[in-house]
Amino acid sequence: MYRSHNCGELNASHINKEVTLAGWVQKSRDKGFMVWVDLRDRYGVTQLIFDEQRTDKAVFDKAKSLGREFVIQVKGTVIERESKNANMTTGDVEILVTELTLLNSSILPPFTIEDETDGGEDIRMKYRYLDIRRNPVKNSLLFRHKVAMEVRKYLSDLDFCEVETPYLIKSTPEGARDFVVPSRMNQGQFYALPQSPQTFKQLLMVGGMDKYFQIVKCFRDEDLRADRQPEFTQIDCEMAFVEQEDILNVFEGLTRHLLKEIKGIDVAEFPRMTYDYAMKTYGNDKPDIRFEMKFGELNGVAQHKDFGVFNSAELVVGIAALGCASYTRKEIDALIDWVKRPQVGASGMVYVKCEEDGTFKSSVDKFYDQDDLKKWAEATNAKAGDMIFVLSGPANKTRTQLSALRMEVATRLGLRKPEEFAPLWVVDFPLLEWDEESGRYHAMHHPFTSPKPEDMELIATEPGKVRANAYDMVLNGNEIGGGSIRIHDKELQSRMFSLLGFSPEQAEAQFGFLMNAFQFGAPPHGGLAFGLDRLVAILGGQETIRDFIAFPKNNSGRDVMIDAPSAIDDAQLKELYIQLDLK
């Protein structure tokens, strides 16, 4: 037996008991006649004491040779600490060691295995197995486990059945590039890794499984950023014989359950917001409603003066920043520079200070009087002490820019508090979006999304106005889940493929298996998928997902720990009938 207890469970009730512990040396303090060692495992840290007067000489000498991250086993007696440590769960006791076994030595780690480490992100990703020993990463992985277990418990209690779907599938267009896998046994043919289990969960509904879920890996070969990985995990769900309201109720319940069980927070019913309202009021379809700063459109009160920038703009729109009238010119200029960055792309910004005495001071005082600026304040709901920030230009582009500014200002004002949670549903998305480059419509979600029943007649006449029977769950400005009622009728699905530019032959080649299944009595069905990585990070109060993934990849999609992706040898390429052309 390597241990009778773990390193996080001993307390005063164990005093005078003989125990066996095993773990890693966190640190060692040698005072000559006394050696203290902090022993760490997943569960905590326990202090060991080696006393020249009370410890066998061979054991005492061996203790002096221990280095950081050595793996050891000790036996000894639990005694009361003279200097207790209230910051440790085991801080009332220590182990007077009688036996010491070196299980494995360690070279000096490339960074300190401490909560506050001296290791940068690159070196910690290279030695991720060492980084996992640190409490912040270890606790993030344990937190992820807890969330996943609560998801499984909630859904299983509602009679959902967890079913595994295949990873080696057919390449089908779902919005991103597929990762492809060559088949040795089928010369010149390829599998694809699933971007989602979309078609399989629909087939499970055809198969009569009624309620399906899966915590599953998905793969998309797309450009990365801090909150995106080439492989990610979904909580994937599908239900038969349901309408949109049924699905919203189930998964609102799941989110409410997680907030209660994981964070101890009770949330009332989630507000619902149409896509059009979200875009007009917040500039994006995943608004953060922990704070106000709603958009105020100013065309009617800012145009038709002598200010040509506004007169020529499709949209003039502003937000009121709470209490920012005290901003200095330097702070204002910093925000103007921020919106001019290529990532935002604004050409400039107009501001209006709403002074405490009810007057206004703006960067365009030459063109607008106090009555004009008062109307701007009314349109943006600005109060005395606030600052109005105004952007103008093409409508869609300007809303996107002001949305970015809104989030940046909220961050600077400390309004994006990680301990606050503001969920909502965004509904009534457009079914289609027009792509100028290809000259045809694309599915805004995916080609299996059902139109709103009341918009069905518009498919033939005004397809751009058709709303999707789709919905997204948003939490703190992040889309954490999305789904739709699916098309279950073969004829409607054929019309949708045609609308998206698929010829009958292309539709048959790529989705014939699904269309064939629909001929055998497909039930009405729909579902939703949560992004587990993102959900866990938000619940954990973090902006990025990496610390909640055991072995993440960097922004280039590389695993620097195992050096992947990597070249394969010529013999493997020959077996796969692949010849590389790297010119």
Side-chain angles (χ1 to χ4, degrees):
M1 182 171 64
Y2 279 106
R3 56 188 180 187
S4 60
H5 297 77
N6 65 55
C7 293
E9 68 177 295
L10 298 176
N11 54 49
S13 68
H14 297 93
I15 289 175
N16 296 324
K17 288 187 176 181
E18 298 293 320
V19 298
T20 303
L21 301 180
W24 288 267
V25 173
Q26 175 85 16
K27 57 186 175 182
S28 177
R29 301 178 298 283
D30 186 348
K31 298 298 183 182
F33 60 92
M34 198 89 73
V35 176
W36 288 275
V37 172
D38 286 349
L39 187 67
R40 181 194 71 242
D41 64 10
R42 173 187 137 184
Y43 307 95
V45 176
T46 297
Q47 180 170 283
L48 313 178
I49 182 170
F50 300 84
D51 184 345
E52 190 176 45
Q53 301 298 318
R54 294 178 288 176
T55 303
D56 179 83
K57 185 177 187 307
V59 173
F60 186 77
D61 290 344
K62 190 184 293 186
K64 284 179 168 287
S65 68
L66 296 177
R68 282 180 176 267
E69 303 307 309
F70 279 33
V71 186
I72 63 173
Q73 179 195 48
V74 296
K75 296 181 181 180
T77 304
V78 181
I79 62 175
E80 185 175 6
R81 282 179 65 161
E82 289 186 9
S83 299
K84 294 180 172 57
N85 187 342
N87 296 320
M88 293 173 59
T89 57
T90 60
D92 289 342
V93 298
E94 58 190 358
I95 311 301
L96 180 60
V97 178
T98 55
E99 296 182 32
L100 169 61
T101 303
L102 177 64
L103 301 175
N104 217 330
S105 60
S106 171
I107 63 173
L108 185 67
F111 55 88
T112 54
I113 314 298
E114 303 278 358
D115 290 3
E116 298 295 331
T117 182
D118 56 358
E121 185 174 2
D122 290 343
I123 194 71
R124 288 187 290 109
M125 287 189 72
K126 182 175 176 63
Y127 296 93
R128 182 64 167 180
Y129 45 85
L130 296 180
D131 203 25
I132 291 172
R133 295 181 189 176
R134 297 173 52 244
N135 283 325
V137 181
K138 175 198 72 177
N139 290 338
S140 292
L141 296 180
L142 293 173
F143 184 81
R144 180 190 179 104
H145 163 73
K146 184 178 180 181
V147 173
M149 291 302 293
E150 288 296 335
V151 168
R152 285 192 162 95
K153 177 179 182 296
Y154 177 88
L155 293 175
S156 297
D157 286 348
L158 291 180
D159 288 333
F160 280 79
C161 177
E162 186 164 13
V163 183
E164 291 186 28
T165 53
Y167 279 173
L168 296 176
I169 68 168
K170 182 183 181 70
S171 180
T172 57
E174 290 193 38
R177 296 184 191 89
D178 286 328
F179 282 101
V180 295
V181 181
S183 171
R184 179 184 59 81
M185 294 181 289
N186 299 276
Q187 182 177 351
Q189 295 184 317
F190 296 81
Y191 300 105
L193 300 180
Q195 295 183 32
S196 76
Q198 180 61 49
T199 53
F200 287 98
K201 64 184 179 183
Q202 292 191 251
L203 292 171
L204 286 170
M205 297 302 101
V206 176
M209 288 308 296
D210 196 68
K211 293 180 179 179
Y212 141 93
F213 87 97
Q214 185 181 190
I215 297 181
V216 59
K217 281 286 185 200
C218 301
F219 307 86
R220 293 179 186 172
D221 186 7
E222 55 189 357
D223 295 337
L224 305 181
R225 55 177 184 255
D227 61 345
R228 182 180 288 171
Q229 291 276 300
E231 52 182 322
F232 57 96
T233 306
Q234 282 187 351
I235 307 166
D236 198 53
C237 308
E238 198 80 2
M239 303 167 68
F241 302 109
V242 291
E243 296 177 330
Q244 176 174 299
E245 195 65 25
D246 302 307
I247 294 173
L248 299 191
N249 287 336
V250 167
F251 295 103
E252 184 171 317
L254 170 59
T255 309
R256 192 179 289 115
H257 173 81
L258 293 175
L259 287 169
K260 177 65 175 177
E261 295 300 317
I262 303 296
K263 305 299 294 185
I265 294 172
D266 289 306
V267 179
E269 287 190 12
F270 297 5
R272 298 185 186 182
M273 185 182 298
T274 66
Y275 170 85
D276 286 344
Y277 181 85
M279 295 302 294
K280 184 176 181 179
T281 310
Y282 297 99
N284 68 70
D285 59 3
K286 48 182 185 296
D288 191 337
I289 59 171
R290 285 175 292 181
F291 52 93
E292 285 288 326
M293 280 198 282
K294 294 180 179 179
F295 288 11
E297 295 192 3
L298 303 174
N299 289 50
V301 294
Q303 292 181 327
H304 313 300
K305 295 286 182 176
D306 294 329
F307 191 49
V309 172
F310 284 176
N311 290 341
S312 61
E314 181 182 3
L315 177 68
V316 183
V317 63
I319 55 172
L322 183 67
C324 290
S326 59
Y327 268 25
T328 64
R329 185 56 200 246
K330 182 179 180 180
E331 289 173 306
I332 295 170
D333 286 344
L335 274 178
I336 293 173
D337 290 340
W338 190 89
V339 300
K340 286 183 175 180
R341 298 182 314 150
Q343 299 94 317
V344 181
S347 57
M349 183 180 75
V350 168
Y351 67 86
V352 180
K353 289 187 176 184
C354 304
E355 306 288 9
E356 293 289 352
D357 62 4
T359 62
F360 302 94
K361 175 65 179 173
S362 83
S363 55
V364 287
D365 280 343
K366 179 180 177 180
F367 304 98
Y368 298 95
D369 60 28
Q370 292 291 299
D371 288 339
D372 293 326
L373 299 178
K374 182 179 181 181
K375 292 174 182 176
W376 293 20
E378 291 169 352
T380 57
N381 200 31
K383 303 293 189 295
D386 295 347
M387 175 92 77
I388 305 170
F389 297 118
V390 182
L391 300 179
S392 64
N396 292 340
K397 183 178 179 181
T398 302
R399 285 195 176 98
T400 300
Q401 293 166 348
L402 189 61
S403 175
L405 176 61
R406 176 179 180 268
M407 296 295 279
E408 176 65 17
V409 170
T411 299
R412 296 186 183 196
L413 294 177
L415 300 177
R416 301 177 64 192
K417 299 176 182 176
E419 69 277 7
E420 292 183 6
F421 297 92
L424 77 149
W425 289 105
V426 177
V427 298
D428 294 353
F429 285 83
L431 181 69
L432 306 164
E433 52 187 348
W434 181 258
D435 181 65
E436 293 289 347
E437 188 173 329
S438 62
R440 63 184 177 89
Y441 284 108
H442 289 262
M444 192 161 192
H445 284 77
H446 53 63
F448 315 110
T449 298
S450 175
K452 285 275 188 182
E454 58 267 33
D455 290 355
M456 207 70 74
E457 293 182 359
L458 295 173
I459 292 177
T461 58
E462 297 181 279
K465 293 185 178 180
V466 178
R467 294 171 299 162
N469 215 337
Y471 33 82
D472 280 355
M473 182 179 286
V474 177
L475 182 61
N476 293 3
N478 293 270
E479 177 200 333
I480 60 167
S484 66
I485 298 297
R486 321 301 186 190
I487 297 171
H488 67 280
D489 175 75
K490 182 182 178 182
E491 294 305 318
L492 179 57
Q493 188 65 74
S494 295
R495 289 181 68 189
M496 177 61 74
F497 285 145
S498 176
L499 196 59
L500 295 174
F502 290 87
S503 69
E505 294 75 22
Q506 288 173 323
E508 175 63 29
Q510 295 190 350
F511 300 107
F513 63 94
L514 184 65
M515 303 289 278
N516 289 337
F518 283 0
Q519 298 179 104
F520 293 93
H525 60 282
L528 178 143
F530 283 101
L532 179 64
D533 310 299
R534 185 84 47 85
L535 174 61
V536 170
I538 294 170
L539 291 175
Q542 301 296 320
E543 287 288 323
T544 58
I545 63 177
R546 282 185 184 169
D547 277 354
F548 296 89
I549 299 172
F551 300 103
K553 294 174 175 59
N554 67 14
N555 285 348
S556 300
R558 294 199 63 82
D559 186 328
V560 296
M561 181 185 68
I562 63 173
D563 192 24
S566 60
I568 60 175
D569 62 39
D570 290 341
Q572 287 177 284
L573 291 172
K574 188 174 181 180
E575 282 184 330
L576 297 168
Y577 310 101
I578 291 176
Q579 184 173 350
L580 298 181
D581 182 4
L582 301 179
K583 295 180 182 178

